[in-house]
Amino acid sequence: AQTVTQSQPEMSVQEAETVTLSCTYDTSESNYYLFWYKQPPSRQMILVIRQEAYKQQNATENRFSVNFQKAAKSFSLKISDSQLGDTAMYFCAFTDAGGTSYGKLTFGQGTILTVHP
Amino acid sequence: GAGVSQSPRYKVAKRGQDVALRCDPISGHVSLFWYQQALGQGPEFLTYFQNEAQLDKSGLPSDRFFAERPEGSVSTLKIQRTQQEDSAVYLCASSPGTGGSEQYFGPGTRLTVT
């Protein structure tokens, strides 16, 4: 079974600064997807960034980038130029890329990020 | 276009009552997922549909939980004889392809069992 671990229950950062959220995972699969989701207090889960395991290049989306270390099974999220709207719970998630029910997401416990003005 | 919608947004049930939670996925999306999210925790997988076929129900916590998607579009999650431990937010997500490498989530239904 896959597991996803986020070891930082809470993080805080000043507006315009950079913050990194950590995530480790465990799997025996060789092909899979990793995700970071953002869940603001309004509760709607929003996809921030996605990484395909077979791609060596780290994914980037504007101010968001990941550091994907496949051998170490590590997948951290870097948020640059933090904005007040980035305040939310962030979840790391994993899914297999094969099988009849691939797409089933396994989530970590979440990290509450607070951006201070 | 319209995103995933869920209704009701909030539901209060007395212990022992049956409840039905509805999910309207994005039009044309093949895959549909249900997740349960306890307060302050990450969502946990309940069940997965590919069109009308329920391919994985391994996450349903007991036989009191039942899900259906009879026409491959709208889905209903039914909980019979609700218990206090069923209190949670129930999230629905849909994906355009077979599988879920690109899941779009609804706002969730917060169920409180008193």
Side-chain angles (χ1 to χ4, degrees):
Chain A
Q2 292 84 10
T3 59
V4 178
T5 302
Q6 294 178 248
S7 58
Q8 305 155 314
E10 295 186 40
M11 294 280 285
S12 64
V13 64
Q14 293 296 125
E15 197 174 8
E17 292 187 346
T18 296
V19 64
T20 299
L21 307 184
S22 301
C23 172
T24 58
Y25 61 95
D26 190 22
T27 183
S28 58
E29 302 294 331
S30 59
N31 195 17
Y32 48 87
Y33 294 93
L34 292 161
F35 308 85
W36 279 98
Y37 279 91
K38 168 185 177 181
Q39 190 175 43
S42 65
R43 203 169 65 233
Q44 187 104 29
M45 192 81 74
I46 302 165
L47 177 64
V48 174
I49 199 165
R50 179 179 75 170
Q51 176 78 43
E52 297 164 75
Y54 66 87
K55 290 187 175 179
Q56 293 188 344
Q57 187 172 8
N58 288 324
T60 62
E61 286 288 341
N62 301 311
R63 298 183 295 107
F64 299 87
S65 62
V66 298
N67 184 3
F68 174 46
Q69 301 288 329
K70 191 172 184 179
K73 295 181 180 174
S74 171
F75 183 62
S76 61
L77 174 69
K78 186 172 82 171
I79 305 174
S80 304
D81 186 26
S82 298
Q83 300 176 0
L84 296 178
D86 295 334
T87 293
M89 175 85 96
Y90 286 81
F91 291 100
C92 179
F94 167 102
T95 187
D96 285 344
T100 58
S101 62
Y102 100 86
K104 175 173 88 172
L105 290 170
T106 299
F107 287 85
Q109 307 93 315
T111 298
I112 299 172
L113 175 67
T114 303
V115 181
H116 297 285
Chain B
V4 178
S5 62
Q6 293 186 245
S7 60
R9 292 291 309 276
Y10 302 89
K11 176 70 179 177
V12 178
K14 291 186 177 179
R15 190 174 58 167
Q17 284 185 332
D18 297 349
V19 299
L21 312 180
R22 176 186 171 107
C23 172
D24 283 83
I26 293 172
S27 178
H29 276 198
V30 170
S31 298
L32 186 145
F33 301 81
W34 283 98
Y35 296 89
Q36 181 189 57
Q37 185 176 22
L39 187 64
Q41 302 294 315
E44 294 190 352
F45 170 81
L46 292 176
T47 188
Y48 163 57
F49 290 87
Q50 188 179 114
N51 296 307
E52 69 279 3
Q54 189 175 23
L55 297 188
D56 188 342
K57 54 181 180 179
S58 61
L60 296 176
S62 77
D63 58 7
R64 297 185 296 103
F65 286 71
F66 172 76
E68 61 183 5
R69 194 187 185 198
E71 297 178 358
S73 178
V74 172
S75 178
T76 304
L77 176 66
K78 298 179 180 178
I79 309 173
Q80 297 176 324
R81 304 181 303 281
T82 52
Q83 303 294 316
Q84 283 194 319
E85 61 263 28
D86 299 336
S87 295
V89 174
Y90 291 85
L91 297 172
C92 175
S94 70
S95 179
T98 55
S101 65
E102 187 180 356
Q103 293 186 35
Y104 298 87
F105 281 81
T109 294
R110 179 180 295 279
L111 172 65
T112 303
V113 181
T114 61

